Amino acid sequence: MTPDDIVATLRSAGCVFAEDEAALLIDAAAGPAELAAMVSDRVAGRPLEYIVGWVAFGGLRIHVIDGVFVPRSRTRLLATQASELITGGATFVEMCCGAAAVAATASARAPNARIVACDIDPVATDCARRNLPDAEVFTGDLFDALPDALRGQVDVIAANAPYVPTAAIATMPREAREYEPAFTLDGGPDGLDIARRIVAGAPDWLRSRGHLVIETSTRQAEALCASMVQTGFDARTITDDENGGTVAVGTLP
């Protein structure tokens, strides 16, 4: 297949950025046979990131594998805002880390920080370890995954917890619905079930003046901030109109 053939094939399959995707597939393929298989996978709907094995994220190349949530561009706001709160040798924790794109960003921006990541899915934490070779990665359900010695010692907690309302999953793009595990998307009836659990547990793990940063949607931000305030945080919302990102930031007294 020529590059033009690949672009035409991808465009006919509905790939909006066919030229860019074709270039990535051509670069990743070891030969014509592998390239043809990759194009066939993409036409069938398999996410490009799974096919090439990585996703670009804020200047980093994040390794991803099948079954792990693919970091979105909007999550760069979470990564940036959380990283900016790190000072010196602070301790940073990414919860629901998936491939750990946020923790990898924090590690790159704050090389003296202690970086910790955790996720309930062992497939995700295996992937995260590839992206965080010098960090600590744990498998378990939210705070249950963390070593008890971290209790009261964390400076920043960041989380891109699943926040899609259960009923809305059916309206998501096919790539997400068919290839990403539902538990990486489903946030319960209003999308905030897991986020509320993180808010409720965070004060036991954060230092005084510690920060909690959670990705959310503009529709959910008010309710999430209210939950933070009820738990004892000062809370605010930050949005990025360019990439569509929204985060709720809570700070303990």
Side-chain angles (χ1 to χ4, degrees), residues 1-8 10 18-40 42 48 51-52 54 61:
M1 301 178 73
T2 69
D4 287 344
D5 290 336
I6 296 171
V7 170
L10 294 175
E19 290 85 357
D20 294 337
E21 293 196 13
L24 288 170
L25 293 171
I26 291 168
D27 183 64
E34 185 176 24
L35 177 58
M38 287 178 164
V39 172
S40 179
R42 186 65 185 121
L48 176 70
I51 297 171
V52 300
W54 61 274
R61 181 177 285 201

mmCIF file of all heavy atoms in Angstrom, residues 1-8 10 18-40 42 48 51-52 54 61:
data_model
loop_
_atom_site.group_PDB
_atom_site.id
_atom_site.type_symbol
_atom_site.label_atom_id
_atom_site.label_comp_id
_atom_site.label_asym_id
_atom_site.label_seq_id
_atom_site.Cartn_x
_atom_site.Cartn_y
_atom_site.Cartn_z
ATOM 1 N N MET A 1 0.848 -1.204 0.000
ATOM 2 C CA MET A 1 0.000 0.000 0.000
ATOM 3 C C MET A 1 0.875 1.243 0.000
ATOM 4 O O MET A 1 1.842 1.345 0.756
ATOM 5 C CB MET A 1 -0.899 0.034 1.243
ATOM 6 C CG MET A 1 -1.832 -1.145 1.403
ATOM 7 S SD MET A 1 -2.798 -1.051 2.931
ATOM 8 C CE MET A 1 -3.935 0.260 2.517
ATOM 9 N N THR A 2 0.548 2.179 -0.860
ATOM 10 C CA THR A 2 1.261 3.446 -0.864
ATOM 11 C C THR A 2 0.706 4.343 0.240
ATOM 12 O O THR A 2 -0.409 4.125 0.739
ATOM 13 C CB THR A 2 1.092 4.153 -2.212
ATOM 14 O OG1 THR A 2 -0.282 4.586 -2.340
ATOM 15 C CG2 THR A 2 1.462 3.239 -3.371
ATOM 16 N N PRO A 3 1.457 5.365 0.633
ATOM 17 C CA PRO A 3 0.928 6.299 1.630
ATOM 18 C C PRO A 3 -0.414 6.890 1.225
ATOM 19 O O PRO A 3 -1.307 7.029 2.065
ATOM 20 C CB PRO A 3 2.020 7.366 1.706
ATOM 21 C CG PRO A 3 3.283 6.618 1.381
ATOM 22 C CD PRO A 3 2.881 5.635 0.317
ATOM 23 N N ASP A 4 -0.573 7.217 -0.054
ATOM 24 C CA ASP A 4 -1.855 7.767 -0.519
ATOM 25 C C ASP A 4 -2.977 6.748 -0.376
ATOM 26 O O ASP A 4 -4.112 7.102 -0.027
ATOM 27 C CB ASP A 4 -1.745 8.221 -1.971
ATOM 28 C CG ASP A 4 -0.922 9.493 -2.121
ATOM 29 O OD1 ASP A 4 -0.697 10.185 -1.097
ATOM 30 O OD2 ASP A 4 -0.514 9.793 -3.258
ATOM 31 N N ASP A 5 -2.667 5.477 -0.646
ATOM 32 C CA ASP A 5 -3.665 4.420 -0.490
ATOM 33 C C ASP A 5 -4.102 4.308 0.971
ATOM 34 O O ASP A 5 -5.294 4.140 1.271
ATOM 35 C CB ASP A 5 -3.109 3.072 -0.949
ATOM 36 C CG ASP A 5 -2.914 2.994 -2.455
ATOM 37 O OD1 ASP A 5 -3.590 3.750 -3.176
ATOM 38 O OD2 ASP A 5 -2.081 2.175 -2.888
ATOM 39 N N ILE A 6 -3.134 4.392 1.862
ATOM 40 C CA ILE A 6 -3.439 4.276 3.289
ATOM 41 C C ILE A 6 -4.313 5.436 3.739
ATOM 42 O O ILE A 6 -5.307 5.248 4.455
ATOM 43 C CB ILE A 6 -2.137 4.209 4.115
ATOM 44 C CG1 ILE A 6 -1.369 2.940 3.767
ATOM 45 C CG2 ILE A 6 -2.447 4.258 5.619
ATOM 46 C CD1 ILE A 6 0.022 2.887 4.357
ATOM 47 N N VAL A 7 -3.955 6.648 3.327
ATOM 48 C CA VAL A 7 -4.754 7.820 3.687
ATOM 49 C C VAL A 7 -6.181 7.658 3.178
ATOM 50 O O VAL A 7 -7.150 7.906 3.908
ATOM 51 C CB VAL A 7 -4.119 9.105 3.119
ATOM 52 C CG1 VAL A 7 -5.076 10.290 3.275
ATOM 53 C CG2 VAL A 7 -2.803 9.398 3.828
ATOM 54 N N ALA A 8 -6.332 7.242 1.939
ATOM 55 C CA ALA A 8 -7.664 7.074 1.366
ATOM 56 C C ALA A 8 -8.457 6.005 2.116
ATOM 57 O O ALA A 8 -9.661 6.173 2.378
ATOM 58 C CB ALA A 8 -7.551 6.715 -0.113
ATOM 59 N N LEU A 10 -8.056 5.020 5.260
ATOM 60 C CA LEU A 10 -8.405 5.520 6.592
ATOM 61 C C LEU A 10 -9.515 6.567 6.519
ATOM 62 O O LEU A 10 -10.436 6.570 7.347
ATOM 63 C CB LEU A 10 -7.168 6.127 7.272
ATOM 64 C CG LEU A 10 -6.037 5.150 7.607
ATOM 65 C CD1 LEU A 10 -4.843 5.907 8.169
ATOM 66 C CD2 LEU A 10 -6.507 4.089 8.590
ATOM 67 N N ALA A 18 -6.703 11.442 8.875
ATOM 68 C CA ALA A 18 -6.173 10.306 8.130
ATOM 69 C C ALA A 18 -4.703 10.463 7.771
ATOM 70 O O ALA A 18 -3.926 9.501 7.857
ATOM 71 C CB ALA A 18 -7.010 10.090 6.865
ATOM 72 N N GLU A 19 -4.294 11.657 7.375
ATOM 73 C CA GLU A 19 -2.898 11.867 6.988
ATOM 74 C C GLU A 19 -1.963 11.641 8.168
ATOM 75 O O GLU A 19 -0.925 10.971 8.054
ATOM 76 C CB GLU A 19 -2.687 13.273 6.422
ATOM 77 C CG GLU A 19 -3.335 13.510 5.066
ATOM 78 C CD GLU A 19 -4.798 13.910 5.174
ATOM 79 O OE1 GLU A 19 -5.326 13.935 6.324
ATOM 80 O OE2 GLU A 19 -5.414 14.165 4.125
ATOM 81 N N ASP A 20 -2.324 12.209 9.321
ATOM 82 C CA ASP A 20 -1.487 12.050 10.514
ATOM 83 C C ASP A 20 -1.437 10.590 10.952
ATOM 84 O O ASP A 20 -0.373 10.073 11.317
ATOM 85 C CB ASP A 20 -2.027 12.907 11.663
ATOM 86 C CG ASP A 20 -1.918 14.400 11.377
ATOM 87 O OD1 ASP A 20 -1.071 14.781 10.548
ATOM 88 O OD2 ASP A 20 -2.673 15.171 11.984
ATOM 89 N N GLU A 21 -2.585 9.932 10.919
ATOM 90 C CA GLU A 21 -2.620 8.542 11.340
ATOM 91 C C GLU A 21 -1.807 7.655 10.386
ATOM 92 O O GLU A 21 -1.100 6.743 10.828
ATOM 93 C CB GLU A 21 -4.063 8.044 11.428
ATOM 94 C CG GLU A 21 -4.860 8.718 12.535
ATOM 95 C CD GLU A 21 -6.131 7.964 12.875
ATOM 96 O OE1 GLU A 21 -6.270 6.802 12.428
ATOM 97 O OE2 GLU A 21 -6.961 8.522 13.603
ATOM 98 N N ALA A 22 -1.905 7.931 9.114
ATOM 99 C CA ALA A 22 -1.138 7.146 8.137
ATOM 100 C C ALA A 22 0.357 7.271 8.400
ATOM 101 O O ALA A 22 1.091 6.274 8.364
ATOM 102 C CB ALA A 22 -1.469 7.598 6.721
ATOM 103 N N ALA A 23 0.802 8.481 8.694
ATOM 104 C CA ALA A 23 2.230 8.699 8.957
ATOM 105 C C ALA A 23 2.677 7.919 10.195
ATOM 106 O O ALA A 23 3.763 7.320 10.209
ATOM 107 C CB ALA A 23 2.504 10.187 9.140
ATOM 108 N N LEU A 24 1.848 7.886 11.226
ATOM 109 C CA LEU A 24 2.199 7.162 12.443
ATOM 110 C C LEU A 24 2.242 5.657 12.196
ATOM 111 O O LEU A 24 3.135 4.958 12.696
ATOM 112 C CB LEU A 24 1.191 7.483 13.550
ATOM 113 C CG LEU A 24 1.283 8.890 14.143
ATOM 114 C CD1 LEU A 24 0.087 9.164 15.045
ATOM 115 C CD2 LEU A 24 2.582 9.062 14.923
ATOM 116 N N LEU A 25 1.292 5.150 11.438
ATOM 117 C CA LEU A 25 1.270 3.719 11.139
ATOM 118 C C LEU A 25 2.470 3.310 10.298
ATOM 119 O O LEU A 25 3.105 2.272 10.552
ATOM 120 C CB LEU A 25 -0.035 3.355 10.431
ATOM 121 C CG LEU A 25 -1.308 3.472 11.271
ATOM 122 C CD1 LEU A 25 -2.540 3.287 10.386
ATOM 123 C CD2 LEU A 25 -1.307 2.442 12.397
ATOM 124 N N ILE A 26 2.791 4.106 9.307
ATOM 125 C CA ILE A 26 3.941 3.805 8.440
ATOM 126 C C ILE A 26 5.227 3.791 9.265
ATOM 127 O O ILE A 26 6.091 2.922 9.101
ATOM 128 C CB ILE A 26 4.028 4.827 7.287
ATOM 129 C CG1 ILE A 26 2.859 4.617 6.326
ATOM 130 C CG2 ILE A 26 5.364 4.712 6.556
ATOM 131 C CD1 ILE A 26 2.687 5.740 5.319
ATOM 132 N N ASP A 27 5.347 4.746 10.184
ATOM 133 C CA ASP A 27 6.550 4.840 11.013
ATOM 134 C C ASP A 27 6.658 3.663 11.979
ATOM 135 O O ASP A 27 7.749 3.182 12.277
ATOM 136 C CB ASP A 27 6.542 6.154 11.794
ATOM 137 C CG ASP A 27 7.795 6.344 12.620
ATOM 138 O OD1 ASP A 27 8.883 6.451 12.025
ATOM 139 O OD2 ASP A 27 7.687 6.393 13.870
ATOM 140 N N ALA A 28 5.509 3.167 12.464
ATOM 141 C CA ALA A 28 5.519 2.103 13.475
ATOM 142 C C ALA A 28 5.691 0.711 12.886
ATOM 143 O O ALA A 28 6.174 -0.194 13.571
ATOM 144 C CB ALA A 28 4.225 2.148 14.289
ATOM 145 N N ALA A 29 5.315 0.527 11.636
ATOM 146 C CA ALA A 29 5.316 -0.810 11.035
ATOM 147 C C ALA A 29 6.730 -1.285 10.705
ATOM 148 O O ALA A 29 7.566 -0.521 10.229
ATOM 149 C CB ALA A 29 4.462 -0.820 9.778
ATOM 150 N N ALA A 30 6.968 -2.579 10.961
ATOM 151 C CA ALA A 30 8.282 -3.152 10.665
ATOM 152 C C ALA A 30 8.424 -3.544 9.199
ATOM 153 O O ALA A 30 9.535 -3.771 8.718
ATOM 154 C CB ALA A 30 8.524 -4.377 11.549
ATOM 155 N N GLY A 31 7.298 -3.630 8.490
ATOM 156 C CA GLY A 31 7.348 -4.016 7.087
ATOM 157 C C GLY A 31 5.971 -3.947 6.481
ATOM 158 O O GLY A 31 4.980 -3.652 7.166
ATOM 159 N N PRO A 32 5.860 -4.234 5.179
ATOM 160 C CA PRO A 32 4.574 -4.115 4.484
ATOM 161 C C PRO A 32 3.466 -4.970 5.088
ATOM 162 O O PRO A 32 2.320 -4.533 5.179
ATOM 163 C CB PRO A 32 4.911 -4.569 3.064
ATOM 164 C CG PRO A 32 6.369 -4.303 2.914
ATOM 165 C CD PRO A 32 6.959 -4.567 4.258
ATOM 166 N N ALA A 33 3.790 -6.193 5.487
ATOM 167 C CA ALA A 33 2.758 -7.084 6.033
ATOM 168 C C ALA A 33 2.214 -6.533 7.347
ATOM 169 O O ALA A 33 1.000 -6.527 7.581
ATOM 170 C CB ALA A 33 3.319 -8.483 6.232
ATOM 171 N N GLU A 34 3.109 -6.060 8.206
ATOM 172 C CA GLU A 34 2.663 -5.496 9.483
ATOM 173 C C GLU A 34 1.875 -4.214 9.260
ATOM 174 O O GLU A 34 0.874 -3.965 9.927
ATOM 175 C CB GLU A 34 3.852 -5.224 10.399
ATOM 176 C CG GLU A 34 3.415 -4.740 11.782
ATOM 177 C CD GLU A 34 4.586 -4.564 12.739
ATOM 178 O OE1 GLU A 34 5.721 -4.373 12.277
ATOM 179 O OE2 GLU A 34 4.342 -4.613 13.956
ATOM 180 N N LEU A 35 2.306 -3.409 8.307
ATOM 181 C CA LEU A 35 1.593 -2.179 7.999
ATOM 182 C C LEU A 35 0.174 -2.480 7.531
ATOM 183 O O LEU A 35 -0.790 -1.830 7.972
ATOM 184 C CB LEU A 35 2.350 -1.391 6.932
ATOM 185 C CG LEU A 35 1.691 -0.093 6.455
ATOM 186 C CD1 LEU A 35 1.468 0.865 7.617
ATOM 187 C CD2 LEU A 35 2.545 0.560 5.356
ATOM 188 N N ALA A 36 0.026 -3.463 6.657
ATOM 189 C CA ALA A 36 -1.309 -3.827 6.171
ATOM 190 C C ALA A 36 -2.196 -4.288 7.321
ATOM 191 O O ALA A 36 -3.386 -3.951 7.380
ATOM 192 C CB ALA A 36 -1.189 -4.916 5.103
ATOM 193 N N ALA A 37 -1.622 -5.054 8.258
ATOM 194 C CA ALA A 37 -2.398 -5.525 9.408
ATOM 195 C C ALA A 37 -2.798 -4.362 10.299
ATOM 196 O O ALA A 37 -3.921 -4.319 10.821
ATOM 197 C CB ALA A 37 -1.580 -6.544 10.197
ATOM 198 N N MET A 38 -1.884 -3.398 10.472
ATOM 199 C CA MET A 38 -2.185 -2.226 11.294
ATOM 200 C C MET A 38 -3.311 -1.397 10.681
ATOM 201 O O MET A 38 -4.228 -0.949 11.377
ATOM 202 C CB MET A 38 -0.935 -1.355 11.452
ATOM 203 C CG MET A 38 0.115 -1.929 12.378
ATOM 204 S SD MET A 38 1.564 -0.838 12.451
ATOM 205 C CE MET A 38 2.381 -1.451 13.927
ATOM 206 N N VAL A 39 -3.246 -1.200 9.387
ATOM 207 C CA VAL A 39 -4.291 -0.436 8.707
ATOM 208 C C VAL A 39 -5.629 -1.160 8.833
ATOM 209 O O VAL A 39 -6.668 -0.547 9.086
ATOM 210 C CB VAL A 39 -3.925 -0.210 7.226
ATOM 211 C CG1 VAL A 39 -5.100 0.411 6.472
ATOM 212 C CG2 VAL A 39 -2.691 0.682 7.113
ATOM 213 N N SER A 40 -5.600 -2.473 8.676
ATOM 214 C CA SER A 40 -6.830 -3.256 8.809
ATOM 215 C C SER A 40 -7.410 -3.117 10.212
ATOM 216 O O SER A 40 -8.625 -2.955 10.377
ATOM 217 C CB SER A 40 -6.541 -4.732 8.503
ATOM 218 O OG SER A 40 -7.704 -5.513 8.653
ATOM 219 N N ARG A 42 -7.016 -0.599 12.236
ATOM 220 C CA ARG A 42 -7.534 0.759 12.402
ATOM 221 C C ARG A 42 -8.888 0.915 11.707
ATOM 222 O O ARG A 42 -9.810 1.534 12.249
ATOM 223 C CB ARG A 42 -6.534 1.785 11.844
ATOM 224 C CG ARG A 42 -6.940 3.220 12.121
ATOM 225 C CD ARG A 42 -6.931 3.510 13.597
ATOM 226 N NE ARG A 42 -7.431 4.861 13.865
ATOM 227 C CZ ARG A 42 -8.479 5.120 14.633
ATOM 228 N NH1 ARG A 42 -9.154 4.135 15.205
ATOM 229 N NH2 ARG A 42 -8.869 6.350 14.830
ATOM 230 N N LEU A 48 -5.960 3.895 17.515
ATOM 231 C CA LEU A 48 -4.622 4.071 16.950
ATOM 232 C C LEU A 48 -3.546 3.878 18.010
ATOM 233 O O LEU A 48 -2.496 3.297 17.741
ATOM 234 C CB LEU A 48 -4.511 5.469 16.335
ATOM 235 C CG LEU A 48 -3.148 5.864 15.782
ATOM 236 C CD1 LEU A 48 -2.839 5.060 14.525
ATOM 237 C CD2 LEU A 48 -3.110 7.363 15.477
ATOM 238 N N ILE A 51 -2.618 0.392 18.558
ATOM 239 C CA ILE A 51 -1.938 -0.185 17.400
ATOM 240 C C ILE A 51 -0.461 0.188 17.391
ATOM 241 O O ILE A 51 0.410 -0.663 17.180
ATOM 242 C CB ILE A 51 -2.620 0.275 16.093
ATOM 243 C CG1 ILE A 51 -4.063 -0.243 16.033
ATOM 244 C CG2 ILE A 51 -1.835 -0.218 14.878
ATOM 245 C CD1 ILE A 51 -4.875 0.331 14.888
ATOM 246 N N VAL A 52 -0.159 1.466 17.629
ATOM 247 C CA VAL A 52 1.247 1.904 17.590
ATOM 248 C C VAL A 52 1.928 1.723 18.949
ATOM 249 O O VAL A 52 3.147 1.750 19.041
ATOM 250 C CB VAL A 52 1.372 3.362 17.109
ATOM 251 C CG1 VAL A 52 0.783 3.508 15.708
ATOM 252 C CG2 VAL A 52 0.709 4.341 18.077
ATOM 253 N N TRP A 54 1.619 3.677 21.762
ATOM 254 C CA TRP A 54 1.918 4.870 22.548
ATOM 255 C C TRP A 54 0.966 5.998 22.190
ATOM 256 O O TRP A 54 0.283 5.954 21.170
ATOM 257 C CB TRP A 54 3.361 5.328 22.330
ATOM 258 C CG TRP A 54 3.704 5.697 20.909
ATOM 259 C CD1 TRP A 54 4.113 4.849 19.915
ATOM 260 C CD2 TRP A 54 3.656 7.005 20.315
ATOM 261 N NE1 TRP A 54 4.318 5.541 18.747
ATOM 262 C CE2 TRP A 54 4.049 6.872 18.962
ATOM 263 C CE3 TRP A 54 3.320 8.265 20.809
ATOM 264 C CZ2 TRP A 54 4.116 7.956 18.098
ATOM 265 C CZ3 TRP A 54 3.390 9.364 19.936
ATOM 266 C CH2 TRP A 54 3.784 9.194 18.600
ATOM 267 N N ARG A 61 6.000 10.684 25.366
ATOM 268 C CA ARG A 61 5.440 9.532 24.657
ATOM 269 C C ARG A 61 5.065 8.507 25.720
ATOM 270 O O ARG A 61 5.938 7.901 26.349
ATOM 271 C CB ARG A 61 6.450 8.961 23.666
ATOM 272 C CG ARG A 61 5.910 7.784 22.884
ATOM 273 C CD ARG A 61 6.898 7.254 21.852
ATOM 274 N NE ARG A 61 6.987 8.133 20.696
ATOM 275 C CZ ARG A 61 7.448 7.734 19.495
ATOM 276 N NH1 ARG A 61 7.841 6.485 19.313
ATOM 277 N NH2 ARG A 61 7.521 8.599 18.503
#
